[in-house]
Amino acid sequence: GTLTVAASANTPAASTYAVGTTNYTFAKFDLTSTGEAISVTQVNVYFATNTAGTATTTAADAADINNVRLYDGAYVVGATPLQTDAAISSGYAEFGINLTVPKNTAKTITVVADIPTGSDAAALQAWFNAPGDITASGGSSGVTITAASSNWMSTKGNVMTLGTPGLVISAATVPASQTFIKNTAGAHL
């Protein structure tokens, strides 16, 4: 069997985040099997910072991003009730998981994380760096499967940029509808 990895067409568009944001969706990736069901047992998601629109090797750390989770649909992936990785190491959030990609189908995994209030990252981006970021084997053959991608440099989410939350308040340009009493002094029409 084979396992192909690609950024999902449904990965979030590049956007702005604020520090202190929780449950922020960074990327969605499609894992597609052919030939047999594929058992995925390890997923390592790389986070970079200060990417300024292009991929760099500046690794994010736990001060930039934490509480990383992988979802298969609405469900957190993994054997434990909440599969998280609070300790980012050299940019990687590493997950020991138990995910089966059924034969000849695609499964989308979603990367969600929190941005701590102390984060000073100008931008953040999640991706798979290389075939070794995913450990998999054939469900029926038991053979080790090396993940493939048409282009590992495009197997990433979009760049999410730090912004400042704001609130816009504007006054109505037309006064609200009012009723006036005949011979009222000082009424504005």
Side-chain angles (χ1 to χ4, degrees):
T2 62
L3 179 67
T4 305
V5 184
S8 173
N10 295 320
T11 205
S15 64
T16 303
Y17 65 86
V19 295
T21 300
T22 59
N23 299 316
Y24 191 83
T25 301
F26 279 91
K28 293 185 178 191
F29 298 102
D30 292 333
L31 306 178
T32 305
S33 71
T34 55
E36 66 181 319
I38 303 295
S39 175
V40 179
T41 56
Q42 180 78 27
V43 173
N44 303 329
V45 180
Y46 184 76
F47 283 91
T49 181
N50 299 324
T51 54
T54 60
T56 69
T57 58
T58 305
D61 59 30
D64 298 319
I65 191 161
N66 63 26
N67 200 24
V68 182
R69 294 165 313 282
L70 297 180
Y71 285 87
D72 172 11
Y75 301 99
V76 175
V77 176
T80 60
L82 184 61
Q83 182 72 38
T84 63
D85 183 5
I88 302 294
S89 176
S90 300
Y92 279 98
E94 299 176 344
F95 298 90
I97 65 172
N98 182 16
L99 177 71
T100 299
V101 182
K103 178 181 179 180
N104 300 326
T105 62
K107 193 167 271 275
T108 301
I109 59 172
T110 303
V111 179
V112 176
D114 299 343
I115 299 106
T117 56
S119 176
D120 62 358
L124 290 164
Q125 187 175 27
W127 73 75
F128 289 116
N129 241 357
D133 287 347
I134 299 171
T135 303
S137 61
S140 56
S141 69
V143 173
T144 299
I145 304 292
T146 300
S149 175
S150 62
N151 179 355
W152 285 104
M153 287 305 297
S154 66
T155 309
K156 57 188 172 185
N158 289 303
V159 176
M160 306 302 180
T161 307
L162 175 64
T164 304
L167 175 64
V168 176
I169 299 174
S170 56
T173 56
V174 179
S177 180
Q178 299 178 4
T179 303
F180 297 100
I181 299 173
K182 186 177 178 183
N183 296 325
T184 301
H188 297 281
L189 303 176

